[in-house]
């Protein structure tokens, strides 16, 4: 082994820049070699989930195809194992503005949970060495995985731990209208993430529970339920049930406070540039008399820290 890599899966934006914990021999790679990442065959041997071996790719072969083929063929080091089901193959790939798209064969969809997480990041960490590759997106038979909600997988965002049961604690800030009508106040909350949790979703699930402080109030229309929240290309789409629209506040100021309590809450996440409100999957353009098409956060709508 040359290095061992250990940390937690970074899910979303508030996860700080990833730090690798390095151990083992730190030798120079052979000239022209790439590091191919594989899970350890026995995760009980340490706190790392992933290690790598150096491999020189055949001359004249396209690098993406060569690296994926080498990964799918499995490791040469007996201390490593393959994360991929037998028969998985790369159907096609494309590189667009730093985003590498891989379309995998149907067997890839058989992965789930921590197994899927490790497979995804073995591909990401390996292919992230290529010039021009900033992040990775994976499709299966041309379709995105149904639980994929991030902008893309980036090597610096996500490293792996071997404990799939260990949740990650993330501190977030929630915005709510003040009871006295003086704009918005904030409340800090800790949410727990696992490898299958989306940060934006976790934040909104915390938001709809309402504030803990009596000076703040939740103003979601009665009967409103959260259907989901996901970030794509910097836009966070937050989806509610029909009562959110049917019982929208008639007062313009009340509607503005409600909208920006949601927009500012999600807009506090690092990779969220704007928020698009949805009802039953359809984008809203107007709400309570105000335009709500892909709103950027506006922290001037209400200010002041309510919770410490």
């Amino acid at each position: 082994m040359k290095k061992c890599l250990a940390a937690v899966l970074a899910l979303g934006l508030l996860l700080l820049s990833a730090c690798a914990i390095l151990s083992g021999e730190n030798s120079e790679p052979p000239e022209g070699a790439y590091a191919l990442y594989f899970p350890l065959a026995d995760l009980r041997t340490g706190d790392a989930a992933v290690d790598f071996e150096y491999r020189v790719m055949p001359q004249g072969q396209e690098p993406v195809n060569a690296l994926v083929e080498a990964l799918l063929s499995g490791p040469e080091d007996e201390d490593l194992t393959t994360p991929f089901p037998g028969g998985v193959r790369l159907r096609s790939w494309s590189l667009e503005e730093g985003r590498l798209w891989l379309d995998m064969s149907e067997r890839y969809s058989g992965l789930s949970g921590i197994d899927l997480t490790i497979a995804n990041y073995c591909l990401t960490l390996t292919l992230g060495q290529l010039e021009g590759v900033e992040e990775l997106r994976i499709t299966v038979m041309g379709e995105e995985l149904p639980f994929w909600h991030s902008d893309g997988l980036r090597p610096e965002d996500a490293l792996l731990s071997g404990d799939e049961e260990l949740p990650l604690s993330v501190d977030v800030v929630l915005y709510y209208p003040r009871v006295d009508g003086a704009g918005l106040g904030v409340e800090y909350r800790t949410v727990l993430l696992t490898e299958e949790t989306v940060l934006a979703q976790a934040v909104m699930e915390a938001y709809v529970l309402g504030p803990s402080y009596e000076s703040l109030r939740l103003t979601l229309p009665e009967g409103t339920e959260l259907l989901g929240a996901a970030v794509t290309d910097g836009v966070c789409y937050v989806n509610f049930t029909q009562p959110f629209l049917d019982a929208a506040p008639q007062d313009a100021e009340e509607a503005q406070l409600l909208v920006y309590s949601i927009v500012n809450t999600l807009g506090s996440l690092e990779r969220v540039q704007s928020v698009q409100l949805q009802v039953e999957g359809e984008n809203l353009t107007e709400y309570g008399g105000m335009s709500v098409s892909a709103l950027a956060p506006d922290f001037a709508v209400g200010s002041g820290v309510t919770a410490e």
Side-chain angles (χ1 to χ4, degrees), residues 28-288:
E28 291 296 323
E31 184 177 355
Y34 291 92
L36 270 63
Y37 288 82
F38 297 98
L40 290 170
D42 187 356
L43 296 181
R44 298 171 297 176
T45 59
D47 61 351
V50 170
D51 204 341
F52 63 79
E53 63 184 26
Y54 289 118
R55 197 88 61 83
V56 177
M57 296 296 103
Q59 290 187 352
Q61 191 171 355
E62 199 288 318
V64 173
N65 289 327
L67 287 174
V68 175
E69 181 178 329
L71 280 174
L72 296 179
S73 70
E76 296 175 351
D77 192 320
E78 63 182 13
D79 291 332
L80 302 176
T81 187
T82 180
F84 307 107
V88 170
R89 62 182 180 86
L90 175 65
R91 299 179 70 242
S92 63
W93 65 272
S94 64
L95 181 61
E96 304 170 4
E97 298 181 348
R99 176 175 289 177
L100 177 62
W101 290 84
L102 301 181
D103 187 39
M104 307 301 291
S105 62
E106 187 174 7
R107 285 186 178 270
Y108 200 88
S109 63
L111 292 165
S112 63
I114 193 65
D115 293 331
L116 176 62
T117 299
I118 290 176
N120 285 346
Y121 277 99
C122 285
L123 286 165
T124 302
L125 293 167
T126 299
L127 293 167
Q129 299 169 87
L130 296 177
E131 183 177 357
V133 176
E134 299 174 3
E135 61 183 45
L136 187 70
R137 290 297 289 257
I138 300 172
T139 58
V140 176
M141 303 296 291
E143 300 291 333
E144 287 196 74
L145 301 175
F147 37 80
W148 195 304
H149 297 288
S150 70
D151 274 351
L153 299 168
R154 301 181 300 180
E156 66 270 25
D157 279 350
L159 306 176
L160 304 167
S161 100
D163 189 353
E164 65 180 291
E165 301 299 328
L166 180 64
L168 176 67
S169 297
V170 178
D171 294 325
V172 299
V173 58
L174 308 177
Y175 284 77
Y176 294 103
R178 295 178 180 273
V179 170
D180 62 10
L184 300 176
V186 302
E187 178 173 310
Y188 295 104
R189 193 81 57 84
T190 298
V191 298
L192 297 179
L193 305 177
T194 67
E195 77 277 4
E196 293 182 345
T197 310
V198 177
L199 181 58
Q201 176 80 20
V203 168
M204 284 306 299
E205 288 175 353
Y207 170 88
V208 299
L209 293 177
S212 302
Y213 291 85
E214 294 182 356
S215 57
L216 302 177
R217 60 195 174 98
L218 178 67
T219 57
L220 281 176
E222 186 176 356
T224 298
E225 295 181 7
L226 176 69
L227 293 178
V231 181
T232 301
D233 295 328
V235 180
C236 184
Y237 296 86
V238 56
N239 191 14
F240 295 107
T241 54
Q242 192 64 38
F244 180 78
L245 182 60
D246 293 342
Q250 298 302 305
D251 180 77
E253 184 176 356
E254 187 73 5
Q256 183 188 50
L257 288 175
L258 169 58
V259 167
Y260 277 100
S261 70
I262 297 169
V263 172
N264 288 357
T265 292
L266 292 167
S268 65
L269 304 181
E270 183 182 342
R271 289 166 68 189
V272 175
Q273 300 170 9
S274 62
V275 176
Q276 177 62 62
L277 298 176
Q278 296 181 323
V279 167
E280 306 289 349
E282 296 294 327
N283 291 347
L284 296 182
T285 58
E286 185 179 78
Y287 188 79

